[in-house]
Amino acid sequence: MKFTHQLVISSLAVFVLSACAGNPSQRRQAKDDFAYLETPALKEWQLPEGATPQFYLNYQIPEGEFQGGIGRSVDIRPPQQVLELIPGARAERQNGEVTLWMIKQEEADKVWQTALAMLKERNIGIAAQSENQIDTDWVTWISEDEEVEIGSRYQISRVMANNRFGFKISLTDWREGGKNVPVSATNKERYNAFMTNLVTARYDTELRQEAARKAQHLVKQIPITMGSDRSGFPVIIARTSYDVLWQRLPNLMPQIGFTLEERNQSQGTIKAKYAAPDDAFWQDIGVKPISLKSGTYTFLLGDLGNRTSINVTNSAGKPVEEELLKDMVPVLSAIAGRQ
């Protein structure tokens, strides 16, 4: 039995400018003015008898038979980029095909397994499969940029060259409105990139999930104490890396009364609104209540290598008192130990 699966091209694979409105043709074609198609054919320059021609080679028009679209057949959409979401992998694009190259075979094997999982997850049928190659059934793409429903078939293979291990995706067949048509260079390049991005995005999701699992395991063993930052100011010190704490702290904060509002990992800030838990909560964790007023606070995380500093400022941007930070230490330790 053959399967046809529809894939909606979303923000993962294509970026659409808000100014690009209108029907699919308008998004694919230059606006108006195809007057250049009516340009008269070039004629040989006629020189007066005895004149010596002088030409600047900078403006010499190349001669030859050149293939390519003109007028309304020219696709003005920007090229689709391959998302670089696999650490250490290098994307090579040649003749519209995409190959991801890796140095270690185990890395390529992991990408191959990711591709298999992605195909199964998205119900993409497989017409033929061997140890190093997969031929897919028809995949239907739904896109605002296309005037008709389009479909494609792919060959996914593992390759090796120059002590590198590759993962290659090649679009083999194309159809528009249910009819098979030749694959254009533009569509081959564009939709190979789309399929590659489905694999890289799936790989990235698995990496993030694995990092979250490791962070959840490690956070149970994180000592949390009072200390000082590089400037000597009092801060809470979590003896773990910034990345690990960033994964887990947003899960701990709601348990002690904070409702998350904003997060910015690059700046190390978490903005949250505090409302004190009831007495049963404090009795349950066996820690005295903190004397923090209800309101909005910002947690500031600092990367200290194998440690992470935590400071807290109020809605006015001023640091809370040192005593409040000291009161938070046993609370955070108690909640972290229960995860």
Side-chain angles (χ1 to χ4, degrees), residues 237-303:
I237 296 293
R239 298 187 181 279
T240 188
S241 67
Y242 176 89
D243 290 338
V244 170
L245 188 64
W246 179 264
Q247 291 281 346
R248 294 298 295 132
L249 190 59
N251 296 327
L252 302 179
M253 291 172 59
Q255 300 181 51
I256 59 177
F258 286 95
T259 301
L260 303 185
E261 295 184 340
E262 297 177 11
R263 297 176 61 194
N264 189 314
Q265 185 172 3
S266 62
Q267 296 180 7
T269 59
I270 301 175
K271 186 177 180 181
K273 183 176 291 185
Y274 179 71
D278 55 26
D279 293 340
F281 167 78
W282 301 110
Q283 293 175 4
D284 183 42
I285 66 173
V287 177
K288 71 174 184 177
I290 56 177
S291 303
L292 192 65
K293 296 180 180 179
S294 297
T296 301
Y297 296 85
T298 300
F299 284 66
L300 309 173
L301 277 62
D303 190 348

Side-chain angles (χ1 to χ4, degrees), residues 119-234:
L119 294 175
K120 183 178 180 180
E121 186 178 78
R122 294 180 175 272
N123 296 321
I124 297 176
I126 297 177
Q129 180 176 354
S130 63
E131 183 179 358
N132 295 312
Q133 182 173 303
I134 297 172
D135 295 319
T136 73
D137 278 333
W138 287 102
V139 177
T140 301
W141 300 88
I142 305 300
S143 171
E144 294 181 350
D145 291 345
E146 306 293 350
E147 298 179 78
V148 297
E149 184 179 88
I150 58 176
S152 54
R153 296 181 63 195
Y154 293 88
Q155 184 178 91
I156 304 173
S157 55
R158 290 196 282 190
V159 295
M160 185 176 68
N162 301 322
N163 294 321
R164 297 183 303 168
F165 303 89
F167 171 83
K168 184 178 181 181
I169 291 183
S170 178
L171 193 158
T172 57
D173 299 287
W174 184 261
R175 67 185 181 188
E176 298 178 359
K179 297 181 179 180
N180 288 27
V181 296
V183 184
S184 69
T186 297
N187 287 333
K188 187 173 184 180
E189 180 179 280
R190 191 171 188 82
Y191 284 88
N192 271 333
F194 284 151
M195 182 57 76
T196 303
N197 285 342
L198 291 179
V199 177
T200 60
R202 181 69 165 76
Y203 189 97
D204 181 66
T205 298
E206 290 181 354
L207 284 184
R208 291 177 182 274
Q209 291 173 345
E210 180 63 22
R213 287 192 293 267
K214 289 182 179 179
Q216 186 172 4
H217 175 72
L218 292 174
V219 76
K220 297 179 182 180
Q221 309 170 19
I222 298 176
I224 301 177
T225 60
M226 278 298 296
S228 58
D229 61 13
R230 292 188 175 113
S231 301
F233 293 104

